[in-house]
Amino acid sequence: MLNENSAAPDFELADHLGRKVSLSQFKGKQHVLLLFYPLDFTPT
Amino acid sequence: MGGISFPLLADFHPKGAMADSFGLYLADNGITDRATVIIDAAGVIKHISAVGPPGSRDIEAIVALCEKVDAEYTGEKSAPAAAAGIDSGTLYVKSGCGASRAAMLALENLHLGDKIAIKNVSDDAGAMGAMKSAAGNEQAPTLVCGDKTIQESGDIVAHMASCTAPV
């Protein structure tokens, strides 16, 4: 996995309504928490 | 997390490409690790960890990490944006209707139950009358809130999500 204090790679993905969400849209505005999960209906 | 929404993003095509860019895609299994990444507003990774697909996250620890990242951050950041909130209203649903169920589930997930009342027009003639006078038809689900009357379940969900989006 990437190292802490390295630059996060930008991404742009669609949400459940098809709207594009990118990391760069938060730059200079907000912190971002990403929670990856392997499968639906599994614990947090 | 009452009253706020968060986007659920699909890392689907090309599959796992975004997770792979963070080194979190488990190519042998074709799934993504159960991983947590905190990125500060400058775009720097301040925390990255994974517990393995069968593992479970320590939510309290993640909250503490988020607070630490925010406390230590000295760069540019906008003031926390408050969600717009939703006007009080009513979600009219009918029995045995998948679209109604989807709208009710979204309402529950967004914790909007204290602002939006649910009324079932299948067994409540008064509710059916109120919905017809608002929407001009007998189509459920119908969301009536503020000065808006919204009828497609996708549009209802999108409206509820946009009212609760912090961005």
Side-chain angles (χ1 to χ4, degrees):
Chain A
M1 67 181 75
L2 294 179
N3 293 319
E4 288 176 8
N5 295 315
S6 65
D10 194 24
F11 57 83
E12 183 181 74
L13 297 171
D15 72 7
H16 63 295
L17 297 171
R19 297 173 301 199
K20 298 285 188 189
V21 177
S22 66
L23 178 60
S24 53
Q25 80 190 57
F26 298 99
K27 195 154 190 177
K29 294 178 183 159
Q30 291 187 312
H31 309 310
V32 172
L33 172 64
L34 298 176
L35 300 173
F36 294 85
Y37 69 102
L39 294 164
D40 288 341
F41 307 111
T42 61
T44 56
Chain B
M1 290 203 296
I4 69 161
S5 65
F6 52 90
L8 178 63
L9 306 178
D11 192 12
F12 177 64
H13 185 73
K15 188 182 172 189
M18 179 272 194
D20 195 41
S21 76
F22 283 80
L24 299 169
Y25 187 63
L26 306 175
D28 289 352
N29 299 319
I31 57 175
T32 294
D33 209 338
R34 195 176 306 280
T36 304
V37 181
I38 304 173
I39 303 165
D40 71 15
V44 176
I45 296 172
K46 302 310 289 184
H47 171 82
I48 183 165
S49 65
V51 294
S56 60
R57 278 179 255 262
D58 182 343
I59 300 296
E60 294 301 324
I62 292 170
V63 171
L65 282 165
C66 289
E67 288 172 344
K68 181 166 177 278
V69 167
D70 188 49
E72 291 176 354
Y73 183 76
T74 56
E76 188 188 348
K77 181 165 74 78
S78 13
I86 196 163
D87 292 320
S88 302
T90 305
L91 176 65
Y92 297 97
V93 298
K94 60 184 176 189
S95 301
C97 165
S100 291
R101 204 153 53 236
M104 284 191 289
L105 198 57
L107 185 148
E108 183 187 329
N109 286 340
L110 293 165
H111 303 270
L112 294 173
D114 56 339
K115 300 295 285 288
I116 306 291
I118 295 176
K119 291 186 178 168
N120 187 337
V121 299
S122 299
D123 55 21
D124 182 340
M128 176 60 95
M131 185 182 81
K132 272 173 74 174
S133 71
N137 58 42
E138 298 189 358
Q139 181 188 323
T142 294
L143 175 67
V144 179
C145 76
D147 55 2
K148 292 189 173 60
T149 300
I150 306 171
Q151 289 210 288
E152 294 300 326
S153 65
D155 294 341
I156 290 170
V157 173
H159 177 68
M160 292 194 294
S162 70
C163 290
T164 53
V167 181

